[in-house]
Amino acid sequence: MEVMRIARALTNLIEAFERLPGIGPKSAARLTYYLLGVPQGEIEKFAKALTALKTETVICSGCFNVAETDPCDICSDRNRDKSLICVVEHPLDVLALERGNGYRGVYHVLGGVIDPLHNIGPDEIRIGELITRLHQGSGEVKEIILALNPNMEGEATCLYLKKVLSAKSEGLRISRLAHGLPVGADIEYADEVTLSRAMEGRREY
Ligand SMILES: [Zn+2]
C-alpha cells in the first residue's frame, strides 16, 4: 500500500508552524488542518496581519523598542520623564511593564543579555547605545533602572552595566526592580533566589 500523499500546501504550512517556538509536529498539523476549516476571508486577514508584522513596524532609534513610528510613542511623549531609563532585555518586557501603568520614565531595549555560553558579549547587545544616551539630548539622565530577568545571564549583565555606567556618569543612580514573591505564591514553595530578593527588596509597611 502506498503512503498517503499530503497536499504540498499543507506540508508547507505544517513545516512553517513547526519552526515556531513551542510548537511540535502534532500541534503544527492540528493548526494547519484547523485553518482549512476557516473561511477564506479570515485566512486572508490572518496572512495580512502576518505580513504587516514586519512591513508596518520599525525599531525606535531612541529606545530600540518595536513601534509604528520612529521615535516611538513613549520616546516622543512629552509627559514621560527622560531622566529615568528602564533597561529591559526584549520589547515584550516593555509591553509587560507598560501594562502595569505606573511607570512614567522611558526605556532602553538591550536586545539580549550577556551570555558567554552562547558567545553573546557586551558588544553584541545595545550597551554602547545606552552609554551614548547618558549624555545626549536635553537634560541629564538621573537614574537607570535595571529590569532584567533574575537568572544567571541577567545577573551578569546587571553587574557589567553597573560597572560601566557608574564609570561613565558620576552621580548616576542605578537601581534594580525589587524581585519579590508573585501574588498568590506560597513562601513555602518559593525558590531561594526569589526569597532572598524579596527580602532585599522589602519596603516599609
Ligand atoms: Zn522609543
Side-chain angles (χ1 to χ4, degrees):
M1 210 179 82
E2 218 180 302
V3 177
M4 194 184 88
R5 279 257 290 285
I6 302 173
R8 175 59 55 92
L10 286 168
T11 49
N12 280 348
L13 191 56
I14 291 172
E15 279 167 23
F17 275 129
E18 270 185 66
R19 273 181 233 122
L20 299 176
I23 306 239
K26 275 191 181 166
S27 304
R30 207 174 299 132
L31 284 168
T32 302
Y33 279 87
Y34 166 79
L35 286 172
L36 263 186
V38 171
Q40 184 66 19
E42 288 296 310
I43 297 271
E44 268 151 31
K45 255 207 238 158
F46 182 68
K48 241 176 109 189
L50 205 55
T51 311
L53 183 66
K54 293 293 268 193
T55 57
E56 289 172 27
T57 54
V58 287
I59 301 291
C60 173
S61 57
C63 67
F64 302 97
N65 191 17
V66 183
E68 266 179 38
T69 53
D70 181 18
C72 71
D73 283 352
I74 296 173
C75 287
S76 51
D77 186 343
R78 284 167 172 273
N79 295 317
R80 308 284 299 221
D81 184 355
K82 308 284 187 304
S83 74
L84 192 59
I85 299 179
C86 179
V87 178
V88 297
E89 187 176 341
H90 297 301
L92 206 54
D93 302 325
V94 174
L95 195 70
L97 287 160
E98 283 297 292
R99 246 188 252 125
N101 232 337
Y103 180 63
R104 299 309 301 162
V106 292
Y107 294 93
H108 186 88
V109 180
L110 285 177
V113 280
I114 296 172
D115 184 0
L117 286 180
H118 293 97
N119 287 321
I120 300 172
D123 295 338
E124 270 72 48
I125 58 177
R126 300 187 191 105
I127 290 180
E129 288 87 338
L130 178 62
I131 292 167
T132 311
R133 281 181 80 181
L134 290 181
H135 303 291
Q136 76 182 7
S138 55
E140 193 94 351
V141 174
K142 294 196 188 86
E143 181 173 353
I144 298 280
I145 303 165
L146 302 174
L148 302 176
N149 292 322
N151 50 29
M152 236 164 63
E153 295 79 25
E155 294 292 327
T157 310
C158 280
L159 277 175
Y160 182 85
L161 282 172
K162 188 178 160 53
K163 202 178 77 187
V164 293
L165 291 173
S166 40
K168 291 280 175 200
S169 181
E170 231 175 278
L172 177 73
R173 195 171 162 217
I174 300 167
S175 60
R176 287 191 61 171
L177 287 191
H179 297 282
L181 295 163
V183 174
D186 274 322
I187 288 181
E188 189 182 349
Y189 299 122
D191 65 283
E192 283 162 49
V193 180
T194 305
L195 270 182
S196 63
R197 268 298 142 61
M199 189 59 85
E200 266 174 48
R202 70 187 184 277
R203 289 203 294 183
E204 196 146 24
Y205 186 57

